[in-house]
Amino acid sequence: MKIAIVGTGYVGLVTATCLAEVVGLELICVDIDDKKIEKLKNGICPIYEPGLEDMLRRNIQKGRLVFTTSLDAVVKDVDVVFSAVGTPPDEDGSADLQYVLDVAKTIGENIEKVTKSTVPVGTANLVRAAIQEQLDKRGVNVNFDVASNPEFLKEGDAINDFMKPDRIVCGVDSPIAEELLTKIYKPFVLNGHPVIFTDIASAEMIKYTANAMLATRISFMNDIANLCEIVGADINMVRKGIGSDTRIGNKFLYAGVGYGGSCFPKDVKALIKTADSYGYSLDVLKSVEKVNDKQKRVLFDKLLKYYDGNLAGKRIALLGLAFKPNTDDMREAPALVLIDLLLKAGCTVLAYDPVAMEESYRRIGNKITYCNDVYETLQDADALLLVTEWTEFRVLDFNKVKSLMNKPVIFDGRNIYDAHEMRSHQIDYFSIGKKNL
Ligand SMILES: NC(=O)c1ccc[n+]([C@@H]2O[C@H](COP(=O)([O-])OP(=O)(O)OC[C@H]3O[C@@H](n4cnc5c(N)ncnc54)[C@H](O)[C@@H]3O)[C@@H](O)[C@H]2O)c1
């Protein structure tokens, strides 16, 4: 079986590489970005994802992964096309489907077509119509199937998620599509986890609902954390107390500086828009978004209060730029909101991130100073803002931290440090959802 994967971003590249590795299939990866394709042809992974580059190179060497920019040529030659192109937010927050429909347009052959991108309910019908339109124009009559196979991988642990999925969801409306997807995914569910077949609309809704539920848990805990600070409770204790309730579970309950990344913000927005377009208001999700916007500036507000509203000329050290550890992805990263607020307040920002500095430079250039390590950012700093909980930030030499800083004060956006330890080092310490000691 020959498979084409269109879009070589986080989802497309991980899908292609894992399918090549496990199933030994022939994978043809297509992207319109010729620079990306050139890099990939040379075995260079354009994104940071642990373990991906090694696996990529291995499969290129074995001839199981090839890269191209011309979908037209590929389409004629494959049995299945997975479309994993981006679905960024449109100006009004709804999912922009132009890339998905562009791909559909290019497809006008007798092939099965699977959508992996996160797309609003009803998109499969649009894809089907776009393919049919092209076939009609050409006067050819061929059968094809459209399926929806949403992706649930987490950046930073994407390979593991793809190799050992909790479940695989496939929205199909034909036995051929079901048979084909069963065959492709069989090696990935030997652990007994299910391939869940649904109708197409439900598969499209499952993906959005999953992300919306996780975003809701995060915003809910952030809101509760802010109340904990006011009433003198500790969000970590509250988290443990509720997380041990099996009805609630302990995942996605950590308070912090708000969710970011390529999925939660845009999918929450798009789901709200879909509901609005049907005349239904998703009020819970509207609040989730509002709380998240507020939470992204929470460290800034604490810092502003600490310096009595005057931050002009302050030198601020920022640890972490990526929206979460183990990725270089900065889409909707809380760090970007913070940097903007700090610069507008007249601060100088010095930042360090183990992998996202190149990406940051691509986005905001020299607006901030990039440092080589944690301690370089702290030189003469008036405050340290911990934004992303990379492992290497967890244990610092706090004697050194204190001696390097102009004013030893830490604003911990991920609750990774211990307030008692900070006090023993005479470092002022502020975290999320806890009373200050
Ligand atoms: N990133 C994640 O963690 C994640 C997880 C689950 C689902 N998703 C969903 O998967 C989809 C892809 O996400 P991503 O993060 O991989 O996106 P991405 O932006 O990293 O990659 C998309 C790629 O598609 C390419 N592309 C766009 N139009 C094209 C066309 N017409 N032909 C060929 N290539 C084209 C782009 O050049 C880009 O390389 C989105 O719908 C997203 O919501 C993402």
Side-chain angles (χ1 to χ4, degrees), residues 214-228:
L214 296 173
T216 301
R217 283 171 76 99
I218 294 172
S219 271
F220 177 74
M221 288 308 281
N222 283 336
D223 220 14
I224 294 290
N226 296 338
L227 178 63
C228 282

Side-chain angles (χ1 to χ4, degrees), residues 232-267:
D234 180 334
I235 190 66
N236 275 347
M237 293 186 189
V238 173
R239 175 177 55 78
K240 282 182 198 146
I242 63 163
S244 51
D245 182 331
T246 52
R247 293 171 305 175
I248 295 172
N250 56 17
K251 304 248 173 83
F252 279 81
L253 292 182
Y254 287 84
V257 289
Y259 60 76
S262 64
C263 293
F264 290 0
K266 91 175 165 62
D267 292 351

Side-chain angles (χ1 to χ4, degrees), residues 6 9-11 31 36 87 117-118 151 155 262-263 266 331:
V6 192
Y10 287 85
V11 172
D31 206 292
K36 218 179 231 187
T87 48
S117 306
T118 302
E151 182 51 62
E155 285 174 26
S262 64
C263 293
K266 91 175 165 62
R331 288 179 274 189

Side-chain angles (χ1 to χ4, degrees), residues 150 152 167 169 196 198-199 201-211:
F152 297 98
R167 70 343 197 160
V169 172
I196 301 172
T198 68
D199 59 83
S202 301
E204 290 169 334
M205 274 303 287
I206 285 169
K207 174 64 198 180
Y208 277 105
T209 310
N211 277 354

Side-chain angles (χ1 to χ4, degrees), residues 303 306-307 381-385 405 407-411 426-430:
L303 178 72
Y306 184 79
Y307 279 113
D382 295 300
L384 160 58
L385 269 52
M405 292 182 78
K407 173 86 187 166
V409 53
I410 296 180
F411 294 86
Q426 294 168 313
I427 295 174
D428 289 343
Y429 178 68
F430 301 89

Side-chain angles (χ1 to χ4, degrees), residues 47 101 177 233:
I47 50 169
L101 294 177

